[in-house]
Amino acid sequence: MEKLVFILFMGLYAALFSESKNVVPTEIHKKEITVKKKISKVDALYESMNLKDVVNYKAFKEAMEGYRLLPAKNKDVLSIIDFTLPSTEKRLVVLDLKNEKVLFHSLVSHGKNSGSNYATSFSNTPESFQSSLGFYVTENTYQGSNGYSLVLNGLEEGFNDRAKSRAVVVHGADYANPRIVSSLGRLGRSYGCPALPRELAKPIINTIKDGSLLFIYADNQEYIAKSKVLNHRDDLTAYYEKDMAGDKFGKMN
């Protein structure tokens, strides 16, 4: 009797296993699989560029979401500022995505009213003297009171779209010198601009000027919840499903 029960059980198991192998994925499952394959390219790029000790993975992932969605003249270069790090650490990274290289890794100042060593408060309001989060596109350069400077156009309404009227630009500053850290225990602070060490300002500006994307990250819950770029999930899903043949990073020019 036990032998008969065992035979019946094995026959039922074999039938179920055979049926499961022949299940045809639904269209929804196919789309999910496709999206996961596309998204995994971000992980592969993070690993191939050896970015683990250079830039926070979450900051990189969010930056790449905006990179895929937002049009820009120069999609070979992407800059990320990670304000979850203290000002005593290198928070700006400039990436050459075309050639998979780290071009610059630098200290960068935040706004004087955003915090002391850490930037914790952000604003889009004039005269707030705070940094602003989100995606920017770089524009032209000019000689101003802070020397060679780069105009930033904030792309996110409510978060950084007043960057131009606030004169939030990339420039060099003496207070962004690493020697300041030894005396103050932190980097000097700006009026809201991402200020760089003097010796790096010109080469970095010349690399990222004229239409590349800059993303300022802080793992800020309000920004994550309300950013129109990060919350265009349907648009991103549809975009990931497009044929990306011949274009590794999916430029959207």
Side-chain angles (χ1 to χ4, degrees), residues 16-63:
L16 289 172
F17 181 76
S18 176
E19 183 178 343
S20 66
K21 289 197 301 182
N22 294 323
V23 172
V24 178
T26 64
E27 287 302 314
I28 293 177
H29 290 159
K30 287 180 180 178
K31 288 182 179 180
E32 289 177 349
I33 292 170
T34 301
V35 171
K36 287 179 180 178
K37 285 182 178 179
K38 301 295 185 183
I39 292 175
S40 69
K41 290 186 177 182
V42 173
D43 297 346
L45 181 61
Y46 188 79
E47 292 183 7
S48 68
M49 292 184 68
N50 297 312
L51 297 178
K52 182 179 179 181
D53 297 323
V54 178
V55 61
N56 181 327
Y57 170 74
K58 189 174 179 182
F60 177 75
K61 185 176 180 181
E62 290 187 6

Side-chain angles (χ1 to χ4, degrees), residues 13 25 234:
Y13 176 83
D234 291 340

Side-chain angles (χ1 to χ4, degrees), residues 219-230:
D219 198 22
N220 178 275
Q221 295 306 306
E222 181 182 5
Y223 173 74
I224 292 170
K226 296 181 180 179
S227 167
K228 292 182 179 179
V229 176
L230 295 187

Side-chain angles (χ1 to χ4, degrees), residues 32 50 69 96 134 142 249:
E32 289 177 349
N50 297 312
L69 179 65
D96 177 349
Y142 67 97
F249 302 107

Side-chain angles (χ1 to χ4, degrees), residues 114-125:
S114 281
S116 183
N117 193 24
Y118 285 87
T120 57
S121 300
F122 306 96
S123 176
N124 193 37
T125 305

Side-chain angles (χ1 to χ4, degrees), residues 84-240:
T84 65
L85 296 174
S87 67
T88 52
E89 295 186 26
K90 294 179 179 180
R91 302 184 289 184
L92 167 68
V93 59
V94 180
L95 304 174
D96 177 349
L97 296 179
K98 181 179 180 181
N99 297 302
E100 298 189 11
K101 294 181 179 180
V102 176
L103 300 178
F104 296 97
H105 194 200
S106 171
L107 295 172
V108 61
S109 293
H110 57 257
K112 62 183 294 186
N113 288 338
S114 281
S116 183
N117 193 24
Y118 285 87
T120 57
S121 300
F122 306 96
S123 176
N124 193 37
T125 305
E127 307 302 322
S128 66
F129 299 151
Q130 293 184 3
S131 299
S132 302
L133 300 177
F135 289 90
Y136 299 76
V137 66
T138 64
E139 295 191 350
N140 58 290
T141 62
Y142 67 97
Q143 287 289 340
S145 58
N146 290 305
Y148 192 54
S149 304
L150 174 64
V151 175
L152 296 177
N153 182 13
L155 301 178
E156 300 206 60
E157 183 179 359
F159 288 103
N160 62 22
D161 59 315
R162 292 180 177 177
K164 280 188 176 182
S165 63
R166 293 178 60 204
V168 173
V169 300
V170 179
H171 63 80
D174 293 333
Y175 57 76
N177 192 300
R179 290 193 295 270
I180 297 295
V181 173
S182 60
S183 59
L184 295 180
R186 60 166 172 78
L187 210 60
R189 296 167 298 175
S190 69
Y191 285 168
C193 298
L196 304 173
R198 290 282 188 193
E199 65 274 14
L200 290 177
K202 188 170 184 178
I204 289 177
I205 287 172
N206 283 339
T207 299
I208 70 175
K209 68 181 180 180
D210 296 332
S212 72
L213 290 172
L214 165 68
F215 177 54
I216 299 182
Y217 168 82
D219 198 22
N220 178 275
Q221 295 306 306
E222 181 182 5
Y223 173 74
I224 292 170
K226 296 181 180 179
S227 167
K228 292 182 179 179
V229 176
L230 295 187
N231 288 289
H232 276 188
R233 302 302 179 188
D234 291 340
D235 291 350
L236 286 171
T237 298
Y239 179 63
Y240 281 133

